[in-house]
Amino acid sequence: MSMTLWGQRASNFDIEELCNINDGKPVPVLFVGCLMKTFRGQDYISGSAASKWYFNPDIPEVSAFSNRLSNERIHINHLPPPPPPNQPQQPQSMPQQEISYLADLQRIDPYDFPTNGCLCTVTIARLIADAPWWFPSCTRCGKACTVEGNTFRCYQCDCSNYKYKYKLSFIATDGTAEAEMICFGPVAQRIVGRSVDSMMRTVRHDEDFPPDIAGIVSHKFTFAINMTSQSFYTCIKKYMITSIITSYGRQ
Ligand SMILES: [Zn+2]
């Protein structure tokens, strides 16, 4: 079973020193406060800020374990360091931004979230029940209008001109974590593959989500995302999709 240490936990773990103090023999380590996860079909254990480890802990299980491994030696496989910044980089389709894992993004303080956003590759896991998938948008200011009689009005502009726009909320996953995401208008239309007007014409009132909306579940995308302003004052982080970089279709 593989184990991944993230961020500061990873840089604090000195494998060379550990190898030296035990003469290259395997060192039993007790890891606590880890999470069991699955990524791309592989189970692994993930350590976070809450994790702790104990070398050679004084517990009965350790002596049996040590005896079994006494003839083995630690083998460290170092990955090559990233190229220095002045070396010409391989041409890439997305040179400025790397794909971020949701588990890492979920840990970032909203104030530390990159101001120009992040990229993430995720699969839509499920729609958020009871969340409306459309809203009447004021044609003047773009904000949501309020119901007035059998029509809608923007109280900000005192106008009754509106058009329907998509507002899609769903849970996305990349195997490292799940996160709530929201998108509007043209971005949502690209995900659904149909205009909101044609969707409104065929909508039936006895279904929670029209089949075309329900059908986005299990589709995979690379999104450019930003943190919603709401994430700054609630404990649940929510990401706004600002554009679609790649669409991979149903998984
Ligand atoms: Zn308005």
Side-chain angles (χ1 to χ4, degrees), residues 82-145:
N86 57 354
Q87 248 180 16
Q89 300 256 331
Q90 293 285 324
Q92 285 175 349
S93 53
M94 287 171 278
Q96 291 107 1
Q97 282 175 299
E98 285 181 8
I99 305 286
S100 302
Y101 288 125
L102 289 183
D104 291 338
L105 296 182
Q106 294 285 66
R107 268 194 289 273
I108 297 179
D109 185 295
Y111 289 95
D112 295 333
F113 199 83
T115 42
N116 58 347
C118 284
L119 300 182
C120 62
T121 297
V122 295
T123 302
I124 298 175
R126 58 190 180 277
L127 297 165
I128 293 176
D130 304 326
W133 54 269
W134 61 271
F135 73 102
S137 164
C138 168
T139 51
R140 216 174 285 174
C141 73
K143 293 217 168 83
C145 299

Side-chain angles (χ1 to χ4, degrees), residues 138-143 145 154-159 161:
C138 168
T139 51
R140 216 174 285 174
C141 73
K143 293 217 168 83
C145 299
C154 174
Y155 288 113
Q156 194 112 346
C157 311
D158 194 28
C159 97
N161 294 326

